[in-house]
Amino acid sequence: MPINEALFAAMKAASYIKPNAGKSYKLQRVAEELVAKQAPANPKCRVEDAFAPMADGYAVPLRVFTPLVAYGAPLPEALEESSANGTPVASAISAILPAVLPKVLPKIPIKESMSSGNTDGISGNANTELPSVTPRGTILFFHGGGWTTGGINLYTQACAHMAVRLQRRVISVEYRLAPEYRFPTAVENCYEVARQLFAGELPISGVGGSVDVDHPQSAAPTAPTGGGDISATIPAPDPDSIVLFGDSAGGNLAAAVSLMARDRGEFMPRTQMLLYPVVGNDYNPETSPFESVRTNGTDYILTAQDMADYIDMYRSSVADLTNPYFAPLTAHDLSNQPRTLVLSAEYCPLRDEDEAYARRLQLVNDNVSCYRIHDGIHGYLLNTSAVGLVSTTYRIIEHFLDDTPLVPAPGTGTTANAPEGGDAWQDVLGTD
């Protein structure tokens, strides 16, 4: 369906003026940290920082989000004053910041954050009497960013909203980034965090403290800096209640962790959700088997050239391109995978590979669902103008996780959705 014309013109202009990912990822990191510092708190969610030790001595930072009130419930009066109006970070804006950052950086006011490691919600050692809810499960979340950018700071607002909306504890993982740490570092980090979670070995340290969580390639912590009882652990949840979730490169990591878990036999995820995931390995418009690389690869912020750059920065060798833990779509065997939800975006260059992955999973697995989000562009989870798209996404997720009714609905008419133009989503596999 046609996208909003004004939005399309803005995206097309931004896509052409921004530098390619291979040239701008360092500035992108700076821009994202700058934007993340402006994020208001979400008093409906408790936020705690933790670390997961790796075999090489590195401590992977985590951020744990626990809902404090039922979704839609009003805040207690004691918390109303701490509530701040705000919306998720605009990925479409942050994506082009590197092009203009040197000009605008001196003019942007910086708000003092509560603490570097607890930038959203109520700290773990707050004395305020808070209501409590029983989370329905745990979401282990892997962020997007082409394996080179993004992080738990940038995704703090989105994860807090996710926790409250889905009434689940969310654990966000700050895996090590490329190109400083190439494949398979990121997926091994994510796998080990998942293994510890399933085994009840995930240690908590620095909970409620001030922990400076920066991009991990700028420093390699071997021990937590926030204090706390490092002997405490997150109890092993019911495996059926754990959901692996990732967007973009994070969706790639979630899919790869599921494949790796099947192959290694140490644990087995029951459920995974993949939001516009990277599952392929070829983003050359002349050779890609997927038409969306050609039709959506130039004008919608994330370009085919960006994807080629991300692939080059993440891989350690050419052989990685056909490794299923690098590109899950290349796996010869997709059997024995978790119950899976794949969400593609209509105007994303990854759309066709995402839907192809869902179809291949469906051939050998039960309980695979795939929806195309109409008018969606890559990265809309963090886009301030995409409130309608995010709401649509959560309606589908709630249907998938909690079996809530999913009634066909029209596009919502936000600036990221055409005001008119049919349903907000398409059931790609026809499973509903």
Side-chain angles (χ1 to χ4, degrees), residues 15-33:
S15 300
Y16 279 91
I17 67 171
K18 74 178 184 68
N20 291 330
K23 299 179 180 179
S24 65
Y25 72 93
K26 289 184 179 180
L27 275 177
Q28 179 75 16
R29 293 170 181 172
V30 174
E32 290 174 349
E33 290 300 317

Side-chain angles (χ1 to χ4, degrees), residues 28-362:
Q28 179 75 16
R29 293 170 181 172
V30 174
E32 290 174 349
E33 290 300 317
L34 176 67
V35 173
K37 289 181 183 295
Q38 311 305 304
N42 185 338
K44 294 185 177 182
C45 185
R46 181 187 297 276
V47 182
E48 301 165 308
D49 287 302
F51 291 84
M54 300 293 105
D56 63 1
Y58 183 82
V60 170
L62 311 172
R63 189 156 289 164
V64 183
F65 303 82
T66 304
L68 298 174
V69 296
Y71 176 64
L75 282 173
E77 185 176 347
L79 295 182
E80 285 288 356
E81 294 182 1
S82 66
S83 179
N85 293 325
T87 51
V89 175
S91 63
I93 295 176
S94 65
I96 65 171
L97 271 176
V100 296
L101 191 62
K103 296 180 180 179
V104 304
L105 186 57
K107 301 178 183 179
I108 298 179
I110 304 298
K111 295 189 297 185
E112 293 295 329
S113 61
M114 290 166 25
S115 73
S116 298
N118 220 333
T119 57
D120 190 25
I122 306 300
S123 64
N125 58 0
N127 294 321
T128 307
E129 184 176 349
L130 299 171
S132 61
V133 297
T134 301
R136 297 175 182 173
T138 298
I139 294 174
L140 187 62
F141 182 76
F142 308 127
H143 67 79
W147 307 283
T148 67
T149 64
I152 59 177
N153 289 338
L154 184 67
Y155 276 76
T156 286
Q157 275 191 296
C159 287
H161 178 66
M162 185 188 306
V164 176
R165 175 69 188 250
L166 299 179
Q167 292 291 282
R168 285 166 169 83
R169 179 176 58 187
V170 175
I171 302 175
S172 183
V173 181
E174 181 91 325
Y175 55 86
R176 282 176 278 190
L177 300 178
E180 293 85 353
Y181 297 93
R182 293 176 179 265
F183 178 82
T185 301
V187 68
E188 291 288 0
N189 284 174
C190 293
Y191 175 86
E192 178 58 18
V193 173
R195 188 200 65 75
Q196 291 180 29
L197 175 63
F198 275 84
E201 299 172 0
L202 199 61
I204 299 175
S205 60
V207 171
S210 176
V211 182
D212 187 9
V213 179
D214 203 346
H215 284 296
Q217 68 285 339
S218 63
T222 55
T225 58
D229 180 7
I230 63 173
S231 64
T233 60
I234 296 176
D238 176 358
D240 289 335
S241 73
I242 299 174
V243 179
L244 303 187
F245 186 21
D247 71 319
S248 190
N252 167 281
L253 294 170
V257 166
S258 292
L259 289 169
M260 192 176 284
R262 177 200 64 187
D263 296 342
R264 295 182 179 180
E266 295 182 287
F267 66 95
M268 191 60 228
R270 274 46 164 197
T271 306
Q272 65 177 354
M273 303 190 302
L274 315 176
L275 177 58
Y276 37 76
V278 184
V279 290
N281 60 13
D282 183 1
Y283 300 95
N284 183 334
E286 296 182 0
T287 59
S288 172
F290 300 113
E291 187 61 25
S292 60
V293 171
R294 288 175 281 278
T295 57
N296 298 338
T298 56
D299 298 335
Y300 301 97
I301 306 298
L302 178 71
T303 66
Q305 184 59 57
D306 287 334
M307 284 306 308
D309 288 350
Y310 288 136
I311 290 289
D312 284 343
M313 287 189 285
Y314 183 43
R315 68 177 178 86
S316 297
S317 68
V318 173
D320 292 339
L321 296 176
T322 54
N323 186 321
Y325 305 151
F326 182 96
L329 194 56
T330 67
H332 297 297
D333 179 10
L334 289 177
S335 64
N336 299 317
Q337 285 300 277
R339 179 170 176 252
T340 300
L341 173 64
V342 177
L343 294 164
S344 66
E346 182 176 8
Y347 295 104
C348 173
L350 309 180
R351 181 196 67 206
D352 292 350
E353 70 180 59
D354 294 344
E355 295 170 8
Y357 190 65
R359 291 187 181 98
R360 281 201 56 204
L361 282 171
Q362 187 188 39

